[in-house]
């Protein structure tokens, strides 16, 4: 008889009340080889991060639901669902929930120091935060002290008004980017949205989203230059990574080291949406050149490369150290 491979259910993130916001630490820096940390933030209406600056970390926000007012330097903008914001290190910024409902966002920090600050300065919690948790003066002083240990400065505490002067400057090759519009490509049969490209983040990372159909399949592949972090927004997927086979449900993430063959497939005959963060951000040019530009993720059904197209794509994949080991659907 054939041996039955055990499939594990993945995911056991922990929640913390941090600065009046519920933070779910999905992947801590040490779990991602100090490449990044992945945190899901739930900010109630009226929530406020305070004006702060991360001296040694870049940050990216992807808004899933709700409405956020983001102040970066002297620029104040409104973020809506599906939009991204890249904030380089040494740039003061503040995030407020100006909407009527809870805002849910994914936070990525590179190289992942912020997750340690959340765990040390935060308070473990469960459940939903119904309203902003105002901080006492003692809690603010403790937060400021912890922040300095992790290379951050609280310039104006949460729920306080005021101005502050910070003289530090970001690297000259990085600038804040608020991404409202995205390009979509049919990449090996999977509609893939490019939210943030490497050129927009100083090649620190790129952010993509795949819309997998009922028979969605990434194919078994590997990339030699990039680590990958996946997070399931909707649906359920089966992840094969090396000799590990996992089921990732909505709200679950996983870190995949470079050179590890892996494959994502939708499960139970239902579509799925998956976020992908690649570090460094050197893979998206290959997606642009090997993919087929489409209007949006729901524009067309799965379109796989034709026999005439596959040859040039395979040659191109060698240039980017991308290997398709088993094509989608095989």
């Amino acid at each position: 008889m054939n041996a039955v491979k055990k499939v594990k259910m993945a995911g056991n993130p922990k929640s913390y009340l941090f600065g009046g916001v519920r933070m779910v630490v999905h992947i801590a820096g040490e779990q991602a080889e100090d490449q990044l940390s992945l945190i899901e933030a739930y900010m109630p209406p009226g929530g406020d991060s305070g004006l702060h600056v991360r001296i040694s970390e870049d940050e990216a926000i992807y808004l899933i639901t709700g409405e956020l007012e983001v102040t970066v330097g002297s620029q104040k903008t409104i973020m809506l669902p599906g939009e991204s914001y890249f904030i380089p290190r040494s740039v003061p910024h503040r995030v407020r929930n100006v909407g009527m409902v809870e805002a849910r966002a994914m936070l990525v920090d590179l190289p992942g120091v912020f997750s340690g600050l959340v765990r040390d300065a935060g308070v473990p919690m469960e459940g939903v935060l119904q309203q902003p948790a105002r901080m006492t003066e003692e809690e603010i002083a403790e937060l400021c002290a912890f922040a300095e240990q992790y290379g951050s400065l609280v310039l104006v505490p949460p729920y306080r008004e005021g101005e502050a002067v910070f003289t530090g400057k970001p690297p000259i090759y990085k600038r804040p980017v608020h991404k409202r519009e995205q390009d979509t490509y049919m990449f090996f049969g999977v509609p893939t949205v490019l939210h943030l490209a490497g050129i927009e983040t100083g090649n620190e990372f790129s952010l993509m989203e795949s819309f997998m159909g009922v028979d969605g399949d990434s194919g078994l592949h590997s990339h030699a230059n990039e680590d990958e972090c996946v997070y399931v927004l909707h649906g359920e997927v089966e992840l094969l990574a090396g000799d590990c086979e996992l089921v990732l449900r909505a709200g679950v993430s996983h870190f995949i080291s470079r050179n590890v063959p892996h494959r994502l497939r939708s499960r139970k005959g239902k579509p799925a949406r998956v976020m992908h963060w690649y570090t460094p951000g050197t893979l998206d040019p290959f997606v642009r050149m090997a993919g087929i530009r489409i209007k949006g993720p729901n524009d067309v059904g799965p379109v796989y490369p034709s026999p005439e197209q596959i040859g040039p794509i395979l040659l191109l994949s060698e240039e980017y150290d991308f290997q398709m080991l088993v094509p989608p659907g095989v």
Side-chain angles (χ1 to χ4, degrees):
M1 296 178 62
N2 293 329
V4 178
K5 180 180 288 188
K6 293 183 178 180
V7 179
K8 298 180 180 179
M9 303 301 294
N12 186 28
K14 295 184 178 180
S15 297
Y16 300 85
L17 179 62
F18 176 82
V21 178
R22 180 163 72 98
M23 299 280 198
V24 182
V25 178
H26 286 279
I27 296 179
E30 69 272 11
Q31 295 173 308
E33 301 173 6
D34 295 321
Q35 297 288 323
L36 56 78
S37 62
L38 178 64
I39 296 174
E40 189 171 7
Y42 292 85
M43 180 178 281
D48 178 15
S49 71
L51 181 64
H52 60 283
V53 61
R54 299 195 183 141
I55 299 172
S56 58
E57 276 197 305
D58 299 317
E59 180 181 359
I61 305 169
Y62 175 80
L63 185 59
I64 301 173
T65 59
E67 184 177 323
L68 294 175
E69 177 191 84
V70 182
T71 303
V72 178
S74 60
Q75 185 74 30
K76 183 180 293 185
T77 58
I78 297 296
M79 276 190 77
L80 299 175
E83 296 181 356
S84 305
Y85 215 131
F86 172 70
I87 306 168
R89 60 195 67 189
S90 294
V91 174
H93 55 284
R94 185 171 202 161
V95 181
R96 287 179 163 128
N97 183 351
V98 295
M100 301 299 292
V101 299
E102 180 182 65
R104 176 187 171 204
M106 302 305 298
L107 310 179
V108 170
D109 296 271
L110 302 95
V113 176
F114 182 58
S115 58
L117 173 59
V118 170
R119 290 180 299 184
D120 282 355
V123 178
M125 67 167 293
E126 296 181 1
V128 177
L129 188 62
Q130 300 290 352
Q131 60 184 6
R134 305 277 174 168
M135 302 179 69
T136 66
E137 294 298 326
E138 182 179 350
E139 289 172 335
I140 289 174
E142 185 179 61
L143 174 62
C144 291
F146 271 119
E148 289 190 27
Q149 293 178 26
Y150 283 91
S152 297
L153 295 176
V154 178
L155 304 176
V156 179
Y159 311 106
R160 303 291 195 276
E161 297 300 326
E163 297 181 357
V165 176
F166 177 73
T167 58
K169 294 183 179 180
I172 60 173
Y173 58 92
K174 294 179 182 177
R175 62 181 179 84
V177 176
H178 180 193
K179 196 71 171 291
R180 290 187 172 97
E181 297 181 357
Q182 304 84 24
D183 295 333
T184 305
Y185 297 85
M186 186 65 70
F187 182 66
F188 284 102
V190 177
T192 302
V193 177
L194 179 54
H195 288 286
L196 283 169
I199 196 172
E200 296 169 315
T201 67
N203 275 341
E204 292 288 347
F205 74 99
S206 57
L207 169 58
M208 305 182 206
E209 180 180 3
S210 59
F211 286 72
M212 307 185 73
V214 294
D215 297 314
D217 181 5
S218 71
L220 182 65
H221 63 281
S222 66
H223 23 87
N225 301 322
E226 300 88 10
D227 298 316
E228 181 178 356
C229 177
V230 298
Y231 174 85
V232 181
L233 264 180
H234 297 292
E236 192 172 295
V237 300
E238 178 183 287
L239 169 65
L240 175 65
D243 58 358
C244 181
E245 191 168 348
L246 300 170
V247 171
L248 308 183
R249 292 174 173 168
V252 175
S253 60
H254 195 76
F255 177 77
I256 306 165
S257 299
R258 63 193 68 186
N259 283 315
V260 173
H262 55 285
R263 184 175 202 163
L264 280 168
R265 286 184 282 202
S266 52
R267 297 186 79 239
K268 297 183 177 179
K270 296 182 179 180
R273 287 174 59 188
V274 183
M275 307 297 299
H276 309 256
W277 288 265
Y278 297 94
T279 54
T282 49
L283 189 64
D284 59 89
F286 173 61
V287 174
R288 289 183 185 274
M289 288 188 281
I292 302 169
R293 181 76 180 271
I294 58 177
K295 292 180 180 179
N298 300 314
D299 184 38
V300 293
V303 178
Y304 297 97
S306 67
E308 293 76 18
Q309 294 171 324
I310 197 66
I313 290 176
L314 292 177
L315 288 175
L316 186 64
S317 67
E318 292 181 7
E319 181 179 340
Y320 286 91
D321 292 322
F322 179 98
Q323 286 189 300
M324 180 59 73
L325 304 172
V326 179
V330 177

